[in-house]
Amino acid sequence: MVTLVKHEWHQVDSQFKFDLDLDLLEEIYPDMKKAELKKRLKEIESGEYSIEDLINDAESENVYFEWEREYDDWWTERKGGYDVTYELKED
C-alpha cells in the first residue's frame, strides 16, 4: 500500500478588530489634553491619522491592542487559483 498526500496551498485574509476609545488614547498619548485626544480620535476616524502611526505610537508607550478575531476568508477556496501538489507519504 502507498499513501498519497495532496496539499492545497491557499491564501487567507484573517480579519481582526479592536475598539479604540478615548481611555486607550489617553494611555498612548499621556501628555495630550482631552480636547487633543478627541481631535486625534476624529483624525483616526477620518483617515487623516494613519493606523500604522497609531500602532507605532502605542508600541512606543508599551500599549498593545488585544485584537479580536472576526473571521478568516479563504478567498482562494472561493475563487480558485490555488496551487496543488502531491507527494508520497513514507511509512
Side-chain angles (χ1 to χ4, degrees):
M1 180 171 89
V2 176
T3 302
L4 306 176
V5 179
K6 176 182 176 182
H7 296 270
E8 292 184 356
W9 302 89
H10 291 276
Q11 293 182 348
V12 61
D13 170 26
S14 296
Q15 182 170 316
F16 302 83
K17 75 172 187 173
F18 181 80
D19 294 324
L20 180 65
D21 60 18
L22 284 175
D23 291 335
L24 188 67
L25 278 183
E26 194 169 27
E27 289 181 45
I28 299 169
Y29 305 107
D31 297 332
M32 282 189 179
K33 296 181 176 164
K34 211 57 140 178
E36 293 172 307
L37 292 170
K38 288 179 183 179
K39 181 179 181 220
R40 176 59 48 90
L41 187 58
K42 286 184 184 197
E43 292 171 343
I44 294 165
E45 288 173 349
S46 70
E48 292 175 57
Y49 198 83
S50 77
I51 295 171
E52 288 83 4
D53 287 340
L54 172 68
I55 291 171
N56 289 334
D57 295 344
E59 288 177 355
S60 70
E61 290 293 326
N62 294 316
V63 176
Y64 299 95
F65 301 161
E66 293 188 28
W67 296 95
E68 181 182 328
R69 182 180 295 274
E70 292 245 279
Y71 67 85
D72 293 323
D73 179 8
W74 294 82
W75 63 271
T76 50
E77 195 164 284
R78 288 187 295 112
K79 297 181 179 182
Y82 54 89
D83 294 328
V84 177
T85 60
Y86 300 93
E87 69 175 307
L88 294 174
K89 184 173 184 175
E90 296 181 29
D91 293 328

